[in-house]
Amino acid sequence: MATVPPVTHPPSNPIVSFESVGKRFDNGHTVLEGIDLDIAPGAFVSFIGPSGCGKSTLLRLIAGLTPATSGRVVVDGATPEGARSGTFFVFQDANLLPWRRVAGNVDLPLMLRGDRPESRRKRVDEMLELVGLSGAAAKFPWQLSGGMRMRVSIARALSLAPRILLLDEPFGALDEMTRDRLNEDLLAIRQRDPFTAFFVTHSVSEAVFLSTQVVVLGSNPGRVTDVIEVPFAYPRPAELREAPEFLSLLARTTHALRAALPPP
Ligand SMILES: Nc1ncnc2c1ncn2[C@@H]1O[C@H](COP(=O)(O)OP(=O)(O)OP(=O)(O)O)[C@@H](O)[C@H]1O
Ligand SMILES: [Mg+2]
């Protein structure tokens, strides 16, 4: 008798796999337990869940900044430590060097890698064009808005062409209009310069707008309580946010998040 295939197939060539991953800190606190995920190259994965459920820790595991204490994380067929040069972090604080101009900040990873000045200049120009900041190359970070500073931070992260971008609440400090605009820009950048994204946010609407999958986490210990597939094709127009299919997926995701929250 023929077997019925599962509705969703795990990718056959995942770029990141979590195999029964657990993380226990030295103080005895078990933060994550039994995490199983297979992520396909080119995916845009958002993690949402209550504060302290282990979202940032998940990103740090992928980056090889902290080891799993049980199970295994595989990144690009290697250990996360081995694949470290293919990953790059973007944080909520743009973390720009105040004494370097915009171009100098984007140039920094290329300079540290030892690239030649000519190729660095070309790459910096490309990156600033990609994030729409060609006109701001000579400005200092303090001369920019919060949204522009985040754009510089993204340009800097992409300058080394990482295969995997890890974004930990990158737009959390921005007003809603700026955040929406940056969400649209991030997707446009990804169309031109593809990467696999792992994105932590507390905004359900941001998660659904950006992602191919939204991973919902529960806490104590952190575990996956739901994975919501987002079927909308890219490029995604801003108007998608008003479409009935979007609003209904938003409601579903909000419901899943509410179910994952600890009781009051
Ligand atoms: N180095 C560490 N040693 C001990 N406990 C830690 C360490 N790092 C994080 N934790 C604990 O692990 C838990 C998860 O932390 P993590 O920062 O991953 O959560 P989070 O989901 O990103 O939270 P938030 O939404 O507030 O950013 C927290 O209880 C935190 O206190
Ligand atoms: Mg966090």
Side-chain angles (χ1 to χ4, degrees), residues 80-263:
E81 294 78 12
R84 197 178 279 169
S85 65
T87 59
F88 209 102
F89 248 113
V90 177
F91 297 101
Q92 182 171 316
D93 179 347
N95 260 320
L96 304 178
L97 298 179
W99 59 88
R100 288 181 81 104
R101 295 174 193 271
V102 164
N105 270 284
V106 176
D107 181 43
L108 193 65
L110 300 163
M111 189 188 83
L112 293 175
R113 187 169 69 178
D115 289 14
R116 298 164 71 92
E118 188 53 35
S119 77
R120 278 162 47 196
R121 260 195 300 276
K122 190 160 167 283
R123 185 68 180 160
V124 169
D125 287 350
E126 269 171 26
M127 291 299 101
L128 288 178
E129 214 245 298
L130 189 68
V131 299
L133 281 181
S134 297
K139 290 201 154 67
F140 286 100
W142 55 266
Q143 295 174 297
L144 308 178
S145 68
M148 288 165 91
R149 279 200 290 274
M150 269 327 294
R151 284 207 172 87
V152 178
S153 172
I154 291 168
R156 180 183 54 189
L158 294 176
S159 67
L160 297 179
R163 300 240 299 143
I164 299 173
L165 201 56
L166 305 166
L167 304 112
D168 198 348
E169 302 190 50
F171 309 138
L174 303 174
D175 65 88
E176 200 175 332
M177 293 284 283
T178 308
R179 175 193 283 227
D180 283 358
R181 183 64 208 278
L182 277 168
N183 284 172
E184 289 146 29
D185 291 349
L186 184 62
L187 291 187
I189 290 167
R190 185 166 155 274
Q191 289 290 120
R192 287 178 54 186
D193 208 353
F195 50 83
T196 304
F198 292 87
F199 190 97
V200 170
T201 179
H202 285 279
S203 160
V204 177
S205 129
E206 178 173 66
V208 174
F209 184 75
L210 290 173
S211 309
T212 53
Q213 287 124 297
V214 180
V215 176
V216 184
L217 299 158
S219 48
N220 287 320
R223 68 210 180 280
V224 177
T225 57
D226 213 340
V227 178
I228 292 159
E229 302 283 332
V230 185
F232 312 124
Y234 297 93
R236 294 180 181 174
E239 298 73 40
L240 175 65
R241 295 193 184 89
E242 290 137 48
E245 316 84 86
F246 181 85
L247 294 171
S248 115
L249 205 53
L250 202 59
R252 202 187 137 216
T253 312
T254 304
H255 191 264
L257 178 60
R258 208 171 287 144
L261 292 176

Side-chain angles (χ1 to χ4, degrees), residues 17-26 29-35 57-75 79-81 84:
S17 292
F18 284 82
E19 299 168 6
S20 304
V21 169
K23 176 69 187 176
R24 188 166 179 269
F25 284 108
D26 291 343
H29 183 187
T30 298
V31 177
L32 295 166
E33 200 170 76
I35 307 283
T57 305
L58 274 173
L59 295 192
R60 292 173 58 78
L61 286 166
I62 298 171
L65 296 176
T66 191
T69 43
S70 58
R72 200 162 73 114
V73 183
V74 182
V75 178
T79 62
E81 294 78 12
R84 197 178 279 169

